[in-house]
Structure formats: C-alpha cells, structure tokens
C-alpha cells in the first residue's frame, strides 16, 4: 500500500522519512515500530504535533500521520500502553506531541481525550540501494549506538518529581550561565517520552550539541533502558568534547 503522509512526527526523526511511503499490513507490535494512521475527528486543544524539525503543526481530522508505537506515563497528560497487538483498521491514540502512538488508558481532564488514530499499516524502509524488499521501520534504525567509549564528560543532573516542575527551565539557565563563563556545553535529556522541545530549548540557550533518548532509539524510557541510554549519550557527548 502506498500513501502520502500529511504529518511526520518528530519521534521518527532517526529515519529521515519522505512523505511518500510504502506500508505493510503486517505490524510488529513493539516499542519504536513506525506506523501510519488516519486522524479521526478534530480537537480545539492539545491538537498539535511536533515534526522532525521541531516545528509544531496543528493536526486535523483525516490527516495521515506517521508516528511510532510506545507507551506514556504522564500525570498532566495521557497514560497509555503498548497494545498487545496492532492491525490495520484498529483505533489507537496519539499519546503526546511527539507522535507516540498507543492505547490510552486514562487522561487528565485539562487536556481532554487524545486524538484517535486509525491504523493503516507499518512503514517499510529500503536501506539497500534499488532493493524492492522493504524492512519494517523502527526508530532504532539510524539511532546512536554504544561506541565503546567510556563517558568522561562532566555532568550536572537536573531532576524533578513530575512533568512541568521546572526541570527544563533550570537546565536552560545552567546552560546559559556556563556558556557565559566560557565553558563548552552540551545538553542531554535522559528520561521521558519522545519530544524535541526540551533539547531545542537548551540549544537556544547556548548548548553546542544536544541529544535525547530518542536519538538512541528509545520512544519512552523506563528502568530497563534509562541507564543504557545515559551511557550512550554521555559517551557521544564525550567524543564531541574531544573533537
């Protein structure tokens, strides 16, 4: 099946997808699987999507959206899980502004119910030149890999008890002050659900380079992934420091 995507979410940025895509009806139900679907209905609030450039776009009913399967745990947003199985025609939900797709199990009344997402299929990619055999896309493709380097960059951690507690604001202030003091500064977001907004903010405040867990192929972090992601990102930042 061939489609033309109206919106491509930032969670898929590792793949550098074109709007013209081929879909498979056979969907691998796993975190990071890249899927296309049709938005059902319109919303007046919490109705935006972050694209691969970090720009916010308004979603409309019947838009064909490309996102990635995953889960989310958000006190002020949506609580969602990875479904047990996914097939074309199934109704899932857009769980965050970065295009994470899953099954919503609860929501904060302040943001309303999430967009419904009618599944069309899994996106296929063709990594081999002129190959006609597509591979089921996952955001792990093109992601940063463990490079064997021991992380040796100096790190200041910022932690908070929940979303909207001021973590990004504090991190941006630190970045700015360190840059003003003459330090070369990089930024990293180690935990959460996929969204470029926070790392882009650190760039705006002077960070030379920024990464987050999605750059390492993770949609939403958890106890099984957080430590490995931190090691990968710090090793990458250490390499930039010496470059």
């Amino acid at each position: 099946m061939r489609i033309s995507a109206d919106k491509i979410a930032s969670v898929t940025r590792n793949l550098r997808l074109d709007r013209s895509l081929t879909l498979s009806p056979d969907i691998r139900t796993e975190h990071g699987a890249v899927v296309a679907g049709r938005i059902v209905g319109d919303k007046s609030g919490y109705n935006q999507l972050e694209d691969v450039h970090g720009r916010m776009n308004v979603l409309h009913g019947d838009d064909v959206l490309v996102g990635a399967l995953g889960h989310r745990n958000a006190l002020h947003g949506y609580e969602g899980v990875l479904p047990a199985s996914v097939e074309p025609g199934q109704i899932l939900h857009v769980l965050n502004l970065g295009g994470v797709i899953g099954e919503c199990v609860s929501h904060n009344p302040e943001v309303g119910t999430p967009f419904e997402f009618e599944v069309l299929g899994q996106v296929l990619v063709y990594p081999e030149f002129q190959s006609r055999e597509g591979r089921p896309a996952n955001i792990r493709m093109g992601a940063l890999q463990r490079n064997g380097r021991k992380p040796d960059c100096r790190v200041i951690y910022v932690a908070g008890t929940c979303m909207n507690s001021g973590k990004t604001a504090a991190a941006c202030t630190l970045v700015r002050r360190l840059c003003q003091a003459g330090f070369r500064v990089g930024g990293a977001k180690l935990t959460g659900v996929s969204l470029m907004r926070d790392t882009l903010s650190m760039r705006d405040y002077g960070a030379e380079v920024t990464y987050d867990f999605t750059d390492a192929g993770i949609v939403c972090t958890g106890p099984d992934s957080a430590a490995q992601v931190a090691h990968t990102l710090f090793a990458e930042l250490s390499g930039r420091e010496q470059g």
Side-chain angles (χ1 to χ4, degrees):
M1 177 182 180
R2 294 286 292 177
I3 65 160
S4 178
D6 296 304
K7 308 284 170 58
I8 300 179
S10 62
V11 67
T12 71
R13 64 186 183 270
N14 293 339
L15 297 171
R16 303 176 186 234
L17 298 171
D18 293 325
R19 290 188 181 275
S20 181
L21 298 166
T22 300
L23 304 184
S24 169
D26 299 318
I27 300 169
R28 295 186 177 181
T29 307
E30 59 184 3
H31 284 86
V34 178
V35 294
R38 195 178 308 278
I39 296 297
V40 179
D42 289 287
K43 290 182 60 181
S44 59
Y46 208 86
N47 60 352
Q48 292 185 310
L49 178 86
E50 184 185 75
D51 68 15
V52 295
H53 306 293
R55 180 177 176 273
M56 288 296 179
N57 300 259
V58 175
L59 284 173
H60 301 283
D62 291 329
D63 276 350
V64 174
L65 166 66
V66 177
L69 297 179
H71 73 280
R72 187 188 185 192
N73 305 101
L75 179 64
H76 298 295
Y78 301 124
E79 183 94 3
V81 298
L82 181 72
S85 62
V86 180
E87 60 184 22
Q90 185 173 347
I91 298 296
L92 296 178
H93 303 97
V94 182
L95 297 178
N96 86 320
L97 301 176
V100 177
I101 308 300
E103 182 181 344
C104 183
V105 295
S106 68
H107 69 276
N108 188 313
E110 294 182 1
V111 298
T113 56
F115 272 117
E116 291 188 339
F117 176 93
E118 180 187 357
V119 178
L120 297 176
Q122 180 158 7
V123 172
L124 297 178
V125 293
Y126 298 82
E128 296 182 12
F129 181 64
Q130 292 187 333
S131 171
R132 294 187 178 182
E133 185 175 349
R135 294 174 56 191
N138 191 293
I139 69 163
R140 292 191 299 269
M141 298 172 174
L144 297 174
Q145 303 295 323
R146 294 283 291 270
N147 57 19
R149 181 190 296 274
K150 181 179 179 180
D152 57 4
C153 55
R154 297 177 181 178
V155 177
I156 300 174
Y157 287 94
V158 177
T161 54
C162 71
M163 63 186 297
N164 299 331
S165 61
K167 300 183 296 296
T168 301
C172 288
T173 299
L174 286 168
V175 168
R176 180 169 179 265
R177 293 301 187 188
L178 288 169
C179 289
Q180 290 175 333
F183 292 94
R184 296 179 62 199
V185 182
K189 182 175 180 178
L190 302 180
T191 61
V193 65
S194 185
L195 195 65
M196 296 170 64
R197 182 175 59 192
D198 294 344
T199 53
L200 289 175
S201 293
M202 287 187 275
R203 283 285 192 108
D204 289 342
Y205 278 77
E208 291 186 19
V209 61
T210 56
Y211 296 113
D212 73 2
F213 47 87
T214 302
D215 294 310
I218 300 297
V219 171
C220 187
T221 55
D224 58 335
S225 61
Q228 178 179 338
V229 164
H231 191 286
T232 299
L233 299 187
F234 288 155
E236 195 71 23
L237 287 171
S238 296
R240 290 298 190 101
E241 183 181 36
Q242 297 175 13

